[in-house]
Amino acid sequence: MSSNGSLDAHLSKKTSFLGLKLWVLIGLCVALFIVLILCILSVWVTFRRRSKRTADTYPLSQIPNVSKDIKIDRVGPQSFQDYPESVFLTINEKPANKNPDTALVHLATSKSDPDNLSQCSSVYHHERGFSSHSGEVGSPGAIQKNHSSLSYGGLVTASPLIGLPEISHLGWGHWFTLRDLEIATSRFAAENVLGEGGYGVVYRGRLVNGTEVAVKKILNNLGQAEKEFRAEVDAIGHVRHKNLVRLLGYCIEGVNRMLVYEYVNNGNLEQWLHGSVRQNGGLIWEARMKVILGTAKALAYLHEAIEPKVVHRDIKSSNILIDDEFNAKVSDFGLAKLLGSNESHIATRVMGTFGYVAPEYANTGLLNEKSDVYSFGVLLLEAVTGRDPVDYGRPANEVNLVEWLKLMVGARRAEEVVDPNLKIKPATRALKRALLVALRCVDPEANKRPKMTQVVRMLEADEYSSREDRRNQRSCTTSTEIEPVKEVSGSGDMKNKVDDLESHRSKTTGA
Ligand SMILES: Nc1ncnc2c1ncn2[C@@H]1O[C@H](COP(=O)(O)OP(=O)(O)OP(=O)(O)O)[C@@H](O)[C@H]1O
């Protein structure tokens, strides 16, 4: 009792600080401490919110962010670049999910930013309940790009990842873990190797929901993996076209960089033209032209329908995949470059494949879409002749396909250039049209080369006229000798030569 009394007396004693009593001073100190803690907490919360908003507003062309807000099972980073490798390791060391269906995908989206959501939903419209086959714009299940600059002529495909969580509002971007892809490819088994390119090995795989995929494991050679990865993602991550291979997602884990594509089941054009099937005729003429036309449409889309335009930089036969209906699927965007509408060209290191690279780009390093047009011309000549663009096994004047072609056409021997493995030769007119389109594309003067939309039109006109030809061949036995194209140096006016063909057609069909 007496000790309580002395404590009271002690607490009630006046202190030297403003003459306040001791208990008042203690109370003040405690209150100050609480206020301080609250301040620190609120500063921390504000800082966290702000950094989250920054991460949510990365441009579409960048690798999409994976927000913590919507995730299927694991913790995901805000943006891949923001995290040191050790963080990826931590994330991926988490135990695998018990339910693989839900473990497969991370959504690259954030609920928390309504502005971002509405901006993106004006670009993409998802319709649910689709089939795994590609669909035309507007067909059930199609993912339709409504943005005017993205809706040009391209058929779009439905997501084949049925049964998996919805794809991100960024329009693409399933984030696979290394484990997902190990399971899909039987731990990257040798028997699943589809082929090896300059930048990595491609494996065939099957996702847990049954979707067949091709997994490109990019070699980690001095940062090239990162460049290749970003180039592919920037070029085709958010575009859809019936004739472009579809990029379904990616894997970033430690030093691993992998890209996951739709699996295209009928080989590539190089295998069809130069592989073992070629002795039996390989691809018939019509199939070759269908593949070529599809490739032209894909390039027209990349060059003229999207902003920034995409220059592929490595158009060649092994990069033209073929499906079971002989639709072309342009692949391998590892060297692709983006070109803004205000840029006539960009200066870049000369890359590509020998024999396909445009001379002005090889000489100066200045690149624009006309370089792809040149490579496309070489590809078309390859499809017509069945020859490699450069073949040192041939006589000196035949080593370079383009030069040989010009010689042959100049010498009125165009008929002789057709692939000898073709059992049924193309109609004369179809052959001439293909050759003239190709020669215009390989014009040494880049600005004289046609745009890819013009190429598409010329090839489509040919498709129409070959159908007519076949009808006429049945009713009329008159032989049509190939008329020589006098000037084929490439610098001459190739349009006139196409016009020559038109008059030739009028003569032979009596139209
Ligand atoms: N989505 C896919 N579906 C089926 N096969 C594919 C797919 N993507 C690539 N391939 C095949 O994988 C192999 C390797 O392809 P990749 O594009 O890596 O190399 P490449 O084009 O042969 O050579 P490089 O990369 O040096 O130009 C090729 O045979 C290609 O046909």
Side-chain angles (χ1 to χ4, degrees):
M1 202 52 185
S2 66
S3 69
N4 274 351
S6 74
L7 183 64
D8 281 351
H10 197 65
L11 286 173
S12 308
K13 228 191 245 168
K14 284 198 175 172
T15 63
S16 54
F17 185 71
L18 300 175
L20 292 174
K21 289 184 178 164
L22 183 60
W23 68 265
V24 176
L25 202 60
I26 291 173
L28 271 177
C29 286
V30 170
L32 263 176
F33 182 72
I34 290 170
V35 168
L36 192 71
I37 295 284
L38 285 176
C39 283
I40 290 171
L41 267 177
S42 76
V43 166
W44 183 71
V45 166
T46 318
F47 176 77
R48 274 195 52 138
R49 276 203 193 137
R50 206 169 286 164
S51 59
K52 194 170 195 339
R53 218 171 297 141
T54 320
D56 284 345
T57 51
Y58 273 69
L60 277 183
S61 62
Q62 292 199 15
I63 298 173
N65 314 311
V66 181
S67 157
K68 287 178 184 169
D69 288 356
I70 304 180
K71 62 176 171 46
I72 301 309
D73 190 40
R74 306 178 187 85
V75 181
Q78 303 282 319
S79 160
F80 300 135
Q81 297 103 318
D82 293 348
Y83 285 80
E85 229 151 55
S86 56
V87 176
F88 286 120
L89 289 173
T90 317
I91 292 163
N92 295 316
E93 275 160 10
K94 279 184 166 265
N97 195 298
K98 288 188 193 93
N99 178 357
D101 272 333
T102 57
L104 207 58
V105 181
H106 293 258
L107 297 185
T109 184
S110 165
K111 267 180 196 164
S112 61
D113 190 340
D115 288 342
N116 201 10
L117 264 183
S118 64
Q119 173 211 333
C120 292
S121 62
S122 70
V123 179
Y124 297 98
H125 288 259
H126 288 200
E127 286 179 41
R128 306 282 296 167
F130 42 71
S131 82
S132 64
H133 300 290
S134 44
E136 298 206 5
V137 172
S139 69
I143 299 167
Q144 184 178 350
K145 281 175 180 276
N146 254 9
H147 193 284
S148 60
S149 70
L150 295 174
S151 60
Y152 166 87
L155 301 181
V156 290
T157 52
S159 169
L161 302 185
I162 303 163
L164 301 176
E166 221 178 316
I167 61 171
S168 92
H169 69 273
L170 294 178
W172 85 285
H174 296 269
W175 177 23
F176 298 90
T177 64
L178 185 56
R179 193 179 150 79
D180 295 332
L181 300 183
E182 275 176 354
I183 293 169
T185 59
S186 312
R187 292 188 157 264
F188 302 101
E191 67 264 25
N192 284 331
V193 172
L194 286 169
E196 186 168 355
Y199 301 106
V201 184
V202 181
Y203 296 84
R204 186 176 177 170
R206 189 183 285 277
L207 300 180
V208 286
N209 69 344
T211 304
E212 283 205 285
V213 289
V215 180
K216 189 185 223 174
K217 205 174 179 195
I218 301 171
L219 290 173
N220 186 31
N221 45 356
L222 301 172
Q224 187 58 41
E226 199 66 49
K227 274 195 209 149
E228 166 108 346
F229 184 90
R230 292 197 63 83
E232 293 249 4
V233 165
D234 286 348
I236 56 165
H238 58 280
V239 299
R240 301 271 184 284
H241 190 280
K242 182 188 174 187
N243 299 111
L244 292 177
V245 71
R246 173 126 185 248
L247 184 56
L248 302 175
Y250 48 84
C251 168
I252 293 189
E253 203 160 311
V255 292
N256 293 297
R257 296 291 180 273
M258 288 179 223
L259 293 160
V260 182
Y261 305 90
E262 65 170 315
Y263 174 69
V264 184
N265 61 2
N266 210 3
N268 62 47
L269 187 58
E270 185 194 40
Q271 290 162 343
W272 278 96
L273 293 177
H274 313 297
S276 55
V277 281
R278 79 180 192 282
Q279 271 82 15
N280 306 325
L283 280 185
I284 61 168
W285 176 263
E286 284 74 13
R288 290 180 196 210
M289 289 305 115
K290 184 173 180 184
V291 170
I292 287 292
L293 181 59
T295 306
K297 285 180 177 172
L299 288 174
Y301 173 76
L302 294 172
H303 294 174
E304 294 164 55
I306 54 176
E307 169 62 32
K309 64 182 82 162
V310 175
V311 181
H312 184 286
R313 269 218 298 177
D314 202 14
I315 290 297
K316 60 175 176 178
S317 52
S318 68
N319 285 339
I320 310 301
L321 306 179
I322 299 176
D323 73 7
D324 48 8
E325 290 172 349
F326 294 100
N327 292 306
K329 304 270 181 184
V330 176
S331 74
D332 202 353
F333 284 74
L335 295 183
K337 289 280 176 197
L338 305 182
L339 198 67
S341 55
N342 53 348
E343 294 173 295
S344 63
H345 56 256
I346 49 167
T348 176
R349 197 146 63 97
V350 179
M351 302 280 269
T353 301
F354 192 51
Y356 292 92
V357 179
E360 76 286 351
Y361 172 50
N363 293 334
T364 64
L366 295 180
L367 176 85
N368 68 14
E369 71 276 18
K370 294 291 185 177
S371 171
D372 278 352
V373 178
Y374 183 95
S375 310
F376 174 83
V378 178
L379 184 84
L380 178 46
L381 292 180
E382 191 180 347
V384 170
T385 62
R387 291 188 176 209
D388 280 315
V390 178
D391 186 349
Y392 291 106
R394 295 188 183 273
N397 63 345
E398 297 184 24
V399 168
N400 183 295
L401 179 57
V402 172
E403 295 311 319
W404 175 67
L405 234 300
K406 288 175 182 174
L407 280 176
M408 292 299 279
V409 175
R412 301 175 169 228
R413 295 173 61 191
E415 238 167 341
E416 294 171 42
V417 306
V418 177
D419 186 348
N421 290 311
L422 269 175
K423 287 197 177 130
I424 302 171
K425 302 292 177 221
T428 303
R429 185 185 308 145
L431 171 64
K432 288 181 75 172
R433 177 59 63 97
L435 289 179
L436 287 180
V437 171
L439 288 171
R440 285 196 64 189
C441 291
V442 296
D443 196 306
E445 283 187 57
N447 56 10
K448 286 196 176 161
R449 291 173 205 150
K451 288 179 167 203
M452 286 311 298
T453 42
Q454 291 173 301
V455 169
V456 169
R457 274 202 296 276
M458 288 189 277
L459 291 171
E460 278 177 335
D462 180 49
E463 233 189 15
Y464 169 76
S465 61
S466 4
R467 274 198 299 265
E468 245 191 7
D469 262 349
R470 277 196 296 277
R471 267 200 298 276
N472 287 334
Q473 267 174 4
R474 265 181 254 131
S475 60
C476 159
T477 51
T478 319
S479 83
T480 52
E481 196 191 312
I482 289 195
E483 283 181 3
V485 178
K486 288 174 198 89
E487 190 193 348
V488 287
S489 67
S491 56
D493 182 4
M494 297 308 280
K495 184 179 180 308
N496 288 342
K497 296 182 182 70
V498 177
D499 292 344
D500 285 351
L501 276 178
E502 296 299 342
S503 62
H504 170 77
R505 183 174 63 186
S506 311
K507 268 187 273 163
T508 54
T509 60

